[in-house]
Amino acid sequence: MESQKQENQISEITTTIIKSKKRNFRSLKKWSLTAFAATLLITSIFVLNVFAKSEASNSTILNLTNNQRALNNLKVLSENDNLNAAAYAKAQDMFKNQYFEHTSPQGKTPWTFINNAGYDYAYAGENLAIDFENLKDTNDALMKSPTHKANILNTKYTEMGTATVTGQFNGRVTTITVEMFGTSMFDTVLNNLKVSW
């Protein structure tokens, strides 16, 4: 009888432990799904915000650049999706590899990013900016630098692509702006043909 009683107690304890583990597993499962959903939501909001900001930034930078060109009686630049892609890839690479230079630690030049984006250029240039809170300040600073200003006002360029990306750089959050300028090989050949006719 005593043995039967002990077996019943063990059985009750085992059943209680199993039920408790099932409840804890269900709670853990619900918590995991909730955490995953929240992470997914936050990530998608961030990604959508970055893309929306990037598109708005592209048109703002292009307008600021073209305003400077107009003030200097130069033709305006048109936006080029391949140069946008090259600029974005360069910004991502700078964050990934933690550098702020025209040439990466792995030896990638601006032309590497432009070529990889499918832009066959006759002329190309790059401007970089970091740590500016707004795009007007970025543009003003670039215009005060002789080499950056030379790219903005270069008469050989007909197109432009840009990227403004926020990320971790040297242990802090900051924004990097990349401007890629170019004239496609096709446009150059076409213009030379027009001249020779």
Side-chain angles (χ1 to χ4, degrees), residues 13-28:
I13 291 171
T14 305
T15 303
T16 303
I17 290 172
I18 291 171
K19 285 181 182 176
S20 176
K21 284 186 176 183
K22 283 183 181 178
R23 259 185 268 129
N24 287 342
F25 179 72
R26 282 190 207 120
S27 293
L28 181 61

Side-chain angles (χ1 to χ4, degrees), residues 69-120:
R69 291 176 68 87
L71 289 172
N72 288 276
N73 299 313
L74 300 174
K75 291 182 182 177
V76 297
L77 302 176
S78 58
E79 185 174 10
N80 181 281
D81 290 338
N82 295 70
L83 290 175
N84 282 340
Y88 184 76
K90 174 66 179 272
Q92 291 296 328
D93 192 65
M94 285 192 289
F95 280 119
K96 178 183 174 189
N97 294 300
Q98 296 292 289
Y99 70 97
F100 184 73
E101 300 287 336
H102 292 289
T103 302
S104 78
Q106 294 77 23
K108 291 191 270 185
T109 65
W111 332 128
T112 304
F113 295 95
I114 292 171
N115 284 327
N116 289 347
Y119 190 83
D120 187 21

